[in-house]
């Protein structure tokens, strides 16, 4: 092969190499910080996650709106996040309030609008409110679960355990306290169940465990 032909061939190869590099640059996501979202096989650019979280119909965005409502003590707004009446399975909401509303737990007693007005400060206790403000709903949205650190109140410790199970968003107010020394811990959970109903996040039930 002549020297001139070799030179031309090298020029052509150089052109294709530069063109290929430019195309790769164009194809790159501006934000290289890629994260998993719920399905572990699917990855999302973080800027896309942020865009989704600004959507007012997004469940995580609605939880953050509820956080704001609690901070502002906006009872009217808070009430819009509660499905009234609540038909509580095994009357869990009444047991939480320590009210013997019926002798038969198979008979669900509705938790009405008037009941909410009277007892909402007990449903959303100071400990619930403190831990609720500590939830990172962005991370909960991305991972499908989240857990706060423990806070200590006297001899008891509390944390919020968040999970997404099918179409339910579950906030488990978990507590533990020591029995007598060497006897282990006493565990208890107040489980708040939320669901999207007609594009609106709603508290639909409260259950007890432990």
């Amino acid at each position: 092969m002549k020297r001139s032909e070799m030179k031309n061939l090298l020029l052509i190869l150089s052109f294709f190499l530069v063109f290929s590099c430019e195309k790769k640059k164009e194809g790159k996501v501006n934000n290289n910080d890629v994260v998993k979202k719920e399905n572990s096989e699917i990855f999302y650019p973080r800027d896309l996650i942020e865009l989704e979280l600004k959507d007012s119909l997004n469940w995580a965005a609605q939880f953050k709106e509820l956080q704001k409502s609690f901070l502002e003590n906006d009872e009217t707004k808070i009430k819009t996040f509660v499905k009234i009446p609540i038909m509580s399975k095994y009357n869990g909401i009444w047991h939480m309030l320590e009210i013997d509303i019926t002798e038969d737990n198979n008979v669900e007693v509705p938790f009405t609008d008037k009941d909410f007005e009277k007892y909402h400060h007990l449903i959303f206790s100071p400990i619930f409110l403190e831990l609720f403000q500590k939830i990172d709903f962005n991370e909960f949205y991305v991972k499908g679960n989240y857990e706060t650190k423990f806070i200590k109140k006297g001899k008891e410790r509390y944390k919020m355990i968040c999970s997404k199970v099918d179409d339910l968003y579950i906030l488990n107010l978990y507590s533990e306290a020591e029995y007598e020394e060497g006897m282990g811990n006493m565990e208890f959970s107040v489980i708040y169940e939320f669901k999207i109903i007609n594009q609106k996040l709603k508290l639909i039930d409260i259950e007890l465990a432990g």
Side-chain angles (χ1 to χ4, degrees), residues 52 165 208:
E52 291 178 358
V165 181
L208 305 181

Tab-separated table of all heavy atoms in Angstrom, residues 52 165 208:
chain	number	residue	atom	x	y	z
A	52	GLU	N	-40.472	13.254	39.391
A	52	GLU	CA	-41.661	12.501	39.800
A	52	GLU	C	-42.155	12.958	41.169
A	52	GLU	O	-43.353	13.028	41.424
A	52	GLU	CB	-41.358	10.999	39.836
A	52	GLU	CG	-41.125	10.395	38.463
A	52	GLU	CD	-40.786	8.919	38.538
A	52	GLU	OE1	-40.705	8.379	39.647
A	52	GLU	OE2	-40.610	8.294	37.478
A	165	VAL	N	-46.521	-2.193	50.637
A	165	VAL	CA	-46.979	-3.564	50.388
A	165	VAL	C	-48.173	-3.489	49.440
A	165	VAL	O	-49.261	-3.068	49.833
A	165	VAL	CB	-47.384	-4.280	51.698
A	165	VAL	CG1	-47.825	-5.710	51.403
A	165	VAL	CG2	-46.236	-4.265	52.705
A	208	LEU	N	-53.110	-2.768	65.830
A	208	LEU	CA	-52.144	-2.933	66.924
A	208	LEU	C	-51.518	-4.302	66.855
A	208	LEU	O	-52.138	-5.269	66.413
A	208	LEU	CB	-52.860	-2.769	68.276
A	208	LEU	CG	-53.659	-1.485	68.499
A	208	LEU	CD1	-54.262	-1.491	69.899
A	208	LEU	CD2	-52.805	-0.250	68.287
